[in-house]
Amino acid sequence: MTLLAEIGIWIWFIVAGLLLLGELLLPGAQLIWLGVAALATGLVVPLFEIGWQGQVAVYVVLAFVMLLLGRRLFPRVPKASDRPFLNRRTEALIGRAFVLREPIAGGVGQVRVDDTVWRVVGEDCPAGARVIVTGVDGATLKVRPEGAAA
């Protein structure tokens, strides 16, 4: 900590500059608040002639306050996706109607969705019947006959 004593208050401006530069290089909007706290510490220290231990304490308190203030002023809002089912393909099939490729016999059958054959479970129906997907269980679609009560 003798470096802090030798450099004086300039250390806070150097730290502020490095943190603000880091914010430009690393996304996240966290380093900016730490940089602002270091800048504020550099401005407050000469007013009260605080020793290095006090300077570090002032910085820690200001950093905490600035981080809380930053999160309060700029809350993270998740972006709405133009493809909400990108990694949840099966959920996108719920509510859609398909023609059975193989009959549902014993509660199990197959349906073709685009270029993929899916296993389906539901009440027995003949091949060629239209079914509506009502749910998903892993890679198995739960279906009901089209026109049947939901």
Side-chain angles (χ1 to χ4, degrees):
M1 285 294 154
T2 59
L3 176 66
L4 187 62
E6 290 176 24
I7 297 177
I9 65 165
W10 292 106
I11 189 73
W12 296 111
F13 297 112
I14 293 168
V15 168
L18 291 174
L19 288 169
L20 294 174
L21 181 63
E23 180 65 35
L24 291 175
L25 300 174
L26 303 170
Q30 299 300 320
L31 294 179
I32 191 169
W33 304 116
L34 299 176
V36 170
L39 185 64
T41 303
L43 296 174
V44 167
V45 166
L47 298 175
F48 299 105
E49 297 182 17
I50 303 171
W52 70 265
Q53 297 94 338
Q55 292 179 29
V56 171
V58 167
Y59 173 72
V60 168
V61 169
L62 286 175
F64 182 71
V65 169
M66 290 297 176
L67 283 171
L68 289 179
L69 185 65
R71 287 183 178 226
R72 182 81 165 203
L73 292 176
F74 303 101
R76 292 187 181 198
V77 179
K79 294 180 185 177
S81 173
D82 61 336
R83 298 175 70 186
F85 296 113
L86 180 62
N87 291 322
R88 298 178 300 162
R89 182 177 176 193
T90 54
E91 291 178 31
L93 299 176
I94 296 175
R96 291 183 56 190
F98 299 102
V99 176
L100 286 175
R101 179 173 184 254
E102 289 186 8
I104 299 178
V108 179
Q110 289 183 348
V111 69
R112 183 173 203 83
V113 178
D114 300 326
D115 62 345
T116 307
V117 176
W118 290 82
R119 180 176 188 257
V120 296
V121 294
E123 62 183 76
D124 291 353
C125 294
R130 290 185 58 84
V131 292
I132 297 176
V133 179
T134 58
V136 176
D137 183 20
T140 302
L141 304 177
K142 298 177 183 179
V143 297
R144 66 172 168 78
E146 190 174 55

